[in-house]
Amino acid sequence: MKPRPLLAIGIGGIVVGSLLPFVWFLITSLKSQGEIEAVPPTWWPSGGFEFYRSALIEHHLLDYVVNSLIVAGGTTLLALLVGTPAAYALARLRLPGKRWLMGGLLCISMFPQIAIAGPVWQILNVLGGLNTHWGLVLPYVTLTLPLAIWILASFFAELPVELEEAAQIDGCSPWTAMWRIMLPLATPGIFTAAILVFIYAWNEFFFALLILTQPEKQTLPVGIALFQGEFTMPWGELAAASVLATLPLVLLVILFQRWIVSGLSAGAVKG
Amino acid sequence: MSGGASIGQMPENRERVTAWAMVMPALAITLAFALYPVVQSLLLSLRRQFLGVPALGDTFVGLENFLLLAQDPVARDAFLRTLGFVLCSTILEVGLGIGIALVLHEHFRGRGWVRAAALIPWAIPTVVASQMWRYIFNDQFGLANLVLYGDEVARYHPWLASPTWAFVIIIFADVWKTASFAGLLVLAGLQVIPDDLYDAAKIDGANAWQRFWHITLPLLKPALLLALLFRTMDAFRVFDLVFVMTQGGPGDATQVLQFYGYKTLFTEGRIGYGTAISVSVFLAIFSLSLVYLRLVGSGLLGKDAR
C-alpha cells in the first residue's frame, strides 16, 4: 500500500487530540503534592499512588462508585425490560399510530432536562423518591427509552419475518415468539442498547444533582463536579478520582467500539 | 423503520391487543416522567410561585412571565450567548466530524484502536471532561500555559478569568467532547455510499477533491442534517460544562440559557419565572427540530424503508 501522509496526519490528530487531556490527568494523578504545585508544571510524575488512596478513602470515592453502579445498572435493566417488548411491537406488529409513537419518542429525546426537572422533582417528592436511587432511575429510564427503543426496533426489523411466521404456525404467541426466537437473535442489539443506556446513566449530571442531595447517596459525576478541599483545590485527588471514574468507560469503549458505533448509527441514521 | 413488516398469521384484533400490551409499560413511564412534566411545566410557566415560600402566594398570571422574560436583559444576553454557542460548536463539531469520519472510513491497520480513541471523549462523563479542561487552562499549573509559554511564568494567562477566553474554552471543550459523535453519524452515512460511484468518477478523471465535493457531500446530506439536528439540540442543553468550568462566569460571560434557568429555578426559587425560561429553551429546540425534520424529510419518521 502506498503511504498516505494526509491519512497519517488525520489518525495522529484523532489519537492525540482524543487522549491528550486524559493523559495529562493521568500524569497529574501520579504526581506528588510538590509537583502539583510546581510552577511551571512538570511533565514526569514521581508521586506514586498516594492520590488514589486519599481519593478513595478521604473523598469517599468508593461510595460514589457503588451509587453509580446501582443507578446505572438499575436504569439499564429497567430500560431494557420495558423497551424490548415495545421495540418488538413497533418493529413487527400492527399498531395504529405507530409513526406517531416513534416520532413522539424522538421528541422526548430532545427535551432539555430543565424543561421537566421541576415537575419531576415534585412527582418524586410526592412519591418519596427524592434522595433515593430508584427516584433517579425512573427519569433516567424515561430519557434513555427513546434511544433503546430506536436501536432495538431497527435490530428487530432486520431479522427475517419468516422465523416468526414459522413459530406462529407451530402455535407460538407473539410473546413466545419474541422471547424464544427473536431475543436470542437480537442479542447484539440488546447488548448495544444496554451499553449506551449504561454510559448515559453513568455520566448524567443534571438530575443526579437535583434528586440526590445527600452526599452519601450521590453518584460519581456529582461527586466529581462538587469535588473540593478545605482551602485549596485538591487537583491530585480530583485527577485520581477522574481517572477511576473514566477507566470503566475506556474499557467498555475499547472492548465494544464496534457495537457502540453500529448502535449509535442504528439509533440514528438507519431510522 | 419497519412499517409493513407485520406477521401475517394472527387475527388483526389479537395482534393489536398484544402490540398495545407490549408498548404499554414504556408508554406509561414516558407519560409519567416526560409528557406529564412537560405539560405541568407549561402550566407552571403561567403562574407566579416561589420554591418553599408558599406565603408569597401562587397566582395565575397568564403570559406575564414570558413578557418579563422578553424584557429581561440578563435573559436576552443569555439567549444570544446560547445561540452563539450553539452556532459555533455545532458548525465546528460537524465540520470536524466529517474529517474524523473520512479518516475512520479508510482501511488501515489498527482502525479499531483509532475508533476506540475517538470514542473516548464521547464516552467519559462531561463532568470529568470539564474538570480536565479546567485544569489544562488553569492559570498556574495548566498545560495550555506550559505548552504556549514554557518557563516564562510571567506570561502565564488566567484563561478562565477572561470573559472572551472563558466562552471560547467552553465551546472548545464541547467540540472536543462531541465531535466524535457527529463523526460517527457521518461515518454511518459514508458507509451506505456505493463504491462504484467513486470508481466511475475516477474513470471519468475526477480528482479526490472533485469526488468529495460532487459525490460524497451531496449523498451525505441526510447524515449531515441528522448530525446537525442532534448536535444543535444537545448544544442548546449545555449545562455540565458551564456548571463545572465557570458557573456562568466570569461575570455573566458564559451564562447560557439553561444555566440561567437552573439558577432562577433552583437557587433563587422563582418557580414560575424559571419555568418560563425552561419552556423557552424547550420551544427553541422544538421549533429548530421541526425545521430540520422538514429538511431531512419524512424518512426519519418511520416511512417504510425496507
Side-chain angles (χ1 to χ4, degrees):
Chain A
M1 208 188 295
K2 67 178 175 162
R4 290 176 290 177
L6 255 176
L7 182 66
I9 293 172
I11 295 172
I14 290 176
V15 173
V16 174
S18 303
L19 301 184
L20 182 90
F22 186 67
V23 170
W24 183 240
F25 245 22
L26 195 67
I27 292 174
T28 304
S29 71
L30 297 171
K31 285 181 174 176
S32 66
Q33 188 59 39
E35 285 168 326
I36 294 253
E37 284 163 0
V39 181
T42 53
W43 283 102
W44 299 116
S46 65
F49 292 93
E50 176 53 27
F51 286 132
Y52 286 86
R53 195 196 60 81
S54 64
L56 281 169
I57 293 166
E58 280 142 41
H59 287 270
H60 309 287
L61 195 69
L62 218 50
D63 296 349
Y64 294 129
V65 172
V66 171
N67 291 340
S68 272
L69 276 176
I70 295 172
V71 170
T75 303
T76 311
L77 275 181
L78 193 58
L80 287 183
L81 207 64
V82 170
T84 311
Y88 180 75
L90 287 169
R92 275 295 200 260
L93 302 178
R94 260 180 300 232
L95 188 68
K98 188 189 278 189
R99 286 185 53 176
W100 281 98
L101 281 176
M102 293 300 273
L105 282 174
L106 201 69
C107 281
I108 284 161
S109 65
M110 58 198 180
F111 281 1
Q113 297 97 320
I114 196 166
I116 53 173
V120 164
W121 191 89
Q122 285 173 333
I123 296 172
L124 290 175
N125 191 18
V126 171
L127 296 178
L130 294 178
N131 275 313
T132 68
H133 290 138
W134 63 262
L136 195 55
V137 164
L138 286 174
Y140 280 5
V141 169
T142 316
L143 293 170
T144 50
L145 263 179
L147 180 72
I149 291 178
W150 273 74
I151 291 174
L152 288 167
S154 76
F155 265 85
F156 281 132
E158 272 186 11
L159 299 173
V161 174
E162 292 77 18
L163 285 174
E164 293 140 284
E165 286 179 344
Q168 274 193 357
I169 293 171
D170 292 343
C172 280
S173 74
W175 288 98
T176 21
M178 178 188 80
W179 184 249
R180 288 264 189 77
I181 297 163
M182 301 304 275
L183 269 195
L185 290 172
T187 314
I190 291 171
F191 206 78
T192 309
I195 292 172
L196 292 177
V197 170
F198 186 89
I199 290 179
Y200 176 91
W202 183 268
N203 293 353
E204 205 280 342
F205 172 66
F206 190 90
F207 280 100
L209 179 71
L210 287 188
I211 292 169
L212 307 172
T213 46
Q214 290 168 1
E216 63 273 18
K217 289 285 170 71
Q218 280 164 353
T219 55
L220 261 174
V222 182
I224 284 177
L226 304 180
F227 214 91
Q228 53 194 344
E230 220 172 334
F231 302 109
T232 52
M233 188 71 192
W235 285 110
E237 282 93 344
L238 176 66
S242 299
V243 169
L244 289 176
T246 307
L247 273 183
L249 298 172
V250 172
L251 277 179
L252 271 183
V253 165
I254 290 174
L255 286 175
F256 301 112
Q257 45 94 5
R258 196 180 295 273
W259 290 12
I260 293 174
V261 172
S262 69
L264 283 176
S265 42
V269 175
K270 268 195 206 157
Chain B
M1 196 130 298
S2 64
S6 192
I7 314 161
Q9 308 292 324
M10 207 177 1
E12 208 174 314
N13 274 340
R14 235 191 83 205
E15 188 179 319
R16 278 195 188 165
V17 172
T18 315
W20 277 114
M22 286 179 156
V23 171
M24 213 30 101
L27 211 57
I29 290 189
T30 307
L31 287 175
F33 284 92
L35 222 56
Y36 170 79
V38 160
V39 174
Q40 195 65 23
S41 275
L42 286 172
L43 295 175
L44 268 177
S45 69
L46 306 176
R47 309 189 71 83
R48 190 185 300 133
Q49 212 189 77
F50 299 91
L51 190 67
V53 204
L56 287 174
D58 172 14
T59 36
F60 179 84
V61 293
L63 291 176
E64 191 189 281
N65 288 322
F66 289 94
L67 292 175
L68 275 175
L69 187 60
Q71 291 158 1
D72 178 351
V74 183
R76 194 197 54 218
D77 288 352
F79 178 70
L80 291 176
R81 205 169 289 122
T82 310
L83 273 189
F85 174 84
V86 170
L87 211 67
C88 294
S89 61
T90 309
I91 291 173
L92 288 172
E93 277 154 21
V94 174
L96 210 57
I98 295 177
I100 294 174
L102 287 174
V103 170
L104 293 181
H105 190 52
E106 295 293 321
H107 295 276
F108 54 87
R109 265 212 304 179
R111 183 165 66 151
W113 288 99
V114 178
R115 219 153 54 161
L119 275 172
I120 284 172
W122 166 81
I124 67 176
T126 310
V127 168
V128 171
S130 312
Q131 295 283 26
M132 286 179 182
W133 287 112
R134 187 156 82 110
Y135 187 61
I136 286 178
F137 286 103
N138 184 284
D139 53 349
Q140 302 167 59
F141 335 115
L143 184 63
N145 280 329
L146 180 63
V147 169
L148 284 173
Y149 305 121
D151 303 343
E152 296 172 69
V153 179
R155 297 178 64 192
Y156 278 20
H157 193 76
W159 302 95
L160 288 167
S162 136
T164 317
W165 277 114
F167 188 65
V168 170
I169 287 167
I170 296 277
I171 292 175
F172 178 84
D174 192 61
V175 171
W176 177 82
K177 177 86 177 71
T178 44
S180 65
F181 175 74
L184 287 185
L185 296 184
V186 178
L187 181 64
L190 276 180
Q191 280 165 347
V192 296
I193 301 178
D195 282 338
D196 32 341
L197 279 179
Y198 292 101
D199 297 339
K202 260 187 208 167
I203 293 170
D204 290 343
N207 63 30
W209 174 251
Q210 286 169 326
R211 291 197 299 269
F212 175 73
W213 191 254
H214 293 291
I215 302 176
T216 312
L217 265 191
L219 288 175
L220 219 47
K221 199 180 128 196
L224 284 179
L225 281 172
L226 206 71
L228 278 175
L229 167 73
F230 279 111
R231 285 313 315 145
T232 318
M233 291 179 335
D234 233 26
F236 250 105
R237 299 184 290 194
V238 58
F239 181 80
D240 314 15
L241 274 177
V242 172
F243 186 94
V244 171
M245 290 180 79
T246 61
Q247 287 278 325
D252 279 343
T254 55
Q255 171 153 279
V256 287
L257 212 49
Q258 170 136 305
F259 190 75
Y260 184 49
Y262 163 81
K263 261 177 32 187
T264 317
L265 254 174
F266 294 104
T267 56
E268 292 170 25
R270 299 162 71 189
I271 294 188
Y273 191 55
T275 311
I277 298 174
S278 76
V279 166
S280 310
V281 178
F282 173 64
L283 291 178
I285 294 178
F286 191 69
S287 35
L288 247 168
S289 64
L290 285 182
V291 173
Y292 277 121
L293 284 181
R294 231 189 134 83
L295 291 171
V296 182
S298 59
L300 196 64
L301 282 188
K303 207 182 60 184
D304 199 0
R306 264 164 278 272

